[in-house]
Amino acid sequence: MQQDIISIDLKLPKKWEDLSDKQLRYVFALLAQGFTATEVKAYCLHRWAGLKVLQRYGNVWACKHDGLNFVLAAEQVERATHALDWLDNVPSMPVRIARIGRHRAVPADFEGVPFETFIVCDNLYQGYLATKQDDLLDELAAHLYDTKRIKLTAAERVSVFYWFASLKGFLAKVFKHFFQPIAGASGADGNMIEHGGSQYEMLQNAVHAQIRALTKGDITKEKEVLSLDTWRALTELDAQAREYEELIRKFPTK
């Protein structure tokens, strides 16, 4: 007897930006618990597609979806999870949980956020990459949610890291002349803190160089520069970096 073929239409998010706060919290909770990428996708598949597992028989699951009962084999589940392969990577666009407790997040892409806040956040992010100290993520979160102090769950710490990591990747694409990888850096985004030398000194020198570039050496303008919108400041820094690249091309050093 030929077995009837059942077609199930599973509606799933197609990218990080499609996720609601509730869905983001679910993903970050799974990541915080140390599940593998495959396990995370499998759990998300069942949760978001509305699949209910009735019983498991070895490598086969009896499931229910929209009132329809059917059986799924392990290889079918694995194939279905490929629709969520985008979860394997840091978001290409900045994503974040809009609110933690009573604290509301600043704009995800940092547009309209003071440049000084971006500098402080970047230093904390780089510091976490080097030390993996959770208190740095807590401090980072306080700036990202515009408060003096904030209490985070393990999942919320993961969300804070993913937010700033996705922000750095996004800004590197928009301001590609300014965000150049540092020679010899091992990290994907050229994090200067990941290779030799005094980490604190390297960060401070980078910050001072950015401020000097924007003030053009006029220290009386430092306060004004730090209060600039992050995007306005990065636009100017990117333009200066592009001009410098063009100058080097015209007059290469021997």
Side-chain angles (χ1 to χ4, degrees):
M1 179 183 293
Q2 183 176 1
Q3 187 176 8
D4 292 337
I5 297 176
I6 299 174
S7 177
I8 305 295
D9 183 18
L10 301 180
K11 296 180 180 178
L12 294 168
K14 296 181 179 179
K15 54 185 182 298
W16 279 98
E17 303 95 276
D18 293 340
L19 300 183
S20 65
D21 271 16
K22 185 176 181 180
Q23 290 171 322
L24 284 172
R25 284 184 175 277
Y26 184 66
V27 176
F28 295 138
L30 294 173
L31 291 171
Q33 292 177 67
F35 287 107
T36 66
T38 299
E39 291 170 334
V40 168
K41 288 183 287 187
Y43 277 113
C44 288
L45 171 69
H46 284 84
R47 172 69 65 94
W48 297 341
L51 286 175
K52 183 178 181 180
V53 178
L54 303 176
Q55 196 166 351
R56 179 177 177 177
Y57 306 94
N59 288 329
V60 175
W61 288 266
C63 301
K64 185 174 184 178
H65 181 267
D66 284 345
L68 182 65
N69 292 340
F70 54 94
V71 173
L72 283 178
E75 58 269 20
Q76 291 176 302
V77 175
E78 183 179 357
R79 286 199 299 270
T81 61
H82 287 313
L84 296 174
D85 279 349
W86 47 269
L87 285 173
D88 294 341
N89 304 309
V90 172
S92 58
M93 296 285 290
V95 297
R96 49 90 166 104
I97 297 171
R99 176 187 286 196
I100 294 179
R102 67 177 184 277
H103 309 296
R104 291 187 177 276
V106 302
D109 62 0
F110 261 56
E111 191 166 2
V113 177
F115 185 50
E116 182 176 18
T117 301
F118 175 76
I119 290 175
V120 171
C121 288
D122 194 26
N123 284 350
L124 292 169
Y125 171 72
Q126 300 283 359
Y128 175 76
L129 289 177
T131 66
K132 298 300 186 288
Q133 293 179 0
D134 285 345
D135 61 320
L136 293 175
L137 287 182
D138 294 348
E139 193 174 347
L140 174 58
H143 292 282
L144 295 177
Y145 287 86
D146 196 19
T147 184
K148 291 184 178 180
R149 185 176 298 176
I150 189 170
K151 188 174 182 180
L152 303 179
T153 64
E156 287 165 348
R157 285 197 183 97
V158 174
S159 78
V160 166
F161 175 80
Y162 266 68
W163 176 4
F164 208 80
S166 62
L167 174 67
K168 287 294 294 290
F170 174 66
L171 293 178
K173 294 175 184 176
V174 177
F175 305 105
K176 57 185 178 181
H177 299 285
F178 177 64
F179 286 102
Q180 289 288 335
I182 296 174
S186 60
D189 59 354
N191 294 313
M192 56 189 153
I193 206 163
E194 292 184 354
H195 51 97
S198 168
Q199 298 170 351
Y200 178 78
E201 183 180 353
M202 293 175 73
L203 285 171
Q204 289 302 105
N205 288 342
V207 169
H208 292 323
Q210 292 174 26
I211 295 174
R212 281 197 304 272
L214 291 172
T215 62
K216 293 181 171 59
D218 186 347
I219 61 173
T220 64
K221 293 182 179 180
E222 184 170 319
K223 186 175 180 180
E224 177 184 346
V225 163
L226 291 175
S227 65
L228 281 175
D229 163 33
T230 293
W231 275 61
R232 178 69 188 88
L234 292 178
T235 298
E236 179 61 27
L237 287 168
D238 193 63
Q240 291 182 22
R242 184 179 64 250
E243 291 171 1
Y244 179 73
E245 290 172 8
E246 293 173 352
L247 186 63
I248 292 298
R249 281 198 296 270
K250 290 181 180 179
F251 305 100
T253 56
K254 296 183 178 179

